[in-house]
Amino acid sequence: MADKEMQEFVKPLMKSFGGLQQLTLLLAQKGMADPEEAGAAASEYLRFFGLVAVGWMWARMAKVALEKQGDDETGFYADKLDLARFYMKKVLPETAALGLSIQAGKKPIMAMADAAF
């Protein structure tokens, strides 16, 4: 299997992983100065992390499917590749919006009055 075949799975994953690394550093810096910053981003950060982790698993499954697709009489591995493509193109890009939300910081949350809840 050529690395070229894996590019459609690896490129989006590496882009999201790079974003995860940057956000981790940002949250570590902001969170040391103000714990509310980390708390305000916690849900979005965990979702971002989860999307990247599942993307990594789909990339691994795609690698196996590419290696075994020649012996695939049932279409199982072809289906795995289609699902991996779907994840990389339709689900993993959600990390972009999560990243923007995380970067917004605590102000949009903390500016609301307690009575608003």
Side-chain angles (χ1 to χ4, degrees):
M1 176 200 49
D3 288 338
K4 185 177 179 185
E5 292 176 295
M6 280 297 296
Q7 288 304 306
E8 69 179 305
F9 307 106
V10 173
K11 278 186 169 184
L13 179 59
M14 292 311 297
K15 182 178 179 182
S16 292
F17 180 68
L20 179 61
Q21 289 176 310
Q22 291 174 340
L23 289 172
T24 300
L25 181 60
L26 176 71
L27 286 178
Q29 290 171 342
K30 284 185 168 185
M32 293 297 276
D34 183 355
E36 288 180 349
E37 286 288 350
S43 294
E44 288 90 354
Y45 180 78
L46 290 173
R47 176 134 171 88
F48 195 118
F49 197 107
L51 288 168
V52 172
V54 172
W56 178 79
M57 288 185 257
W58 272 113
R60 288 199 57 188
M61 286 187 270
K63 184 174 191 247
V64 171
L66 286 168
E67 291 169 352
K68 296 189 179 220
Q69 69 180 343
D71 302 329
D72 188 13
E73 295 178 15
T74 64
F76 176 80
Y77 293 111
D79 290 343
K80 283 287 184 191
L81 290 169
D82 287 342
L83 289 167
R85 287 182 186 105
F86 173 83
Y87 189 87
M88 296 301 175
K89 293 180 188 290
K90 297 294 284 179
V91 179
L92 191 59
E94 292 175 18
T95 57
L98 291 167
L100 292 173
S101 179
I102 291 167
Q103 291 174 28
K106 73 173 191 173
K107 189 173 181 180
I109 297 170
M110 301 309 286
M112 289 188 245
D114 291 345
F117 296 93

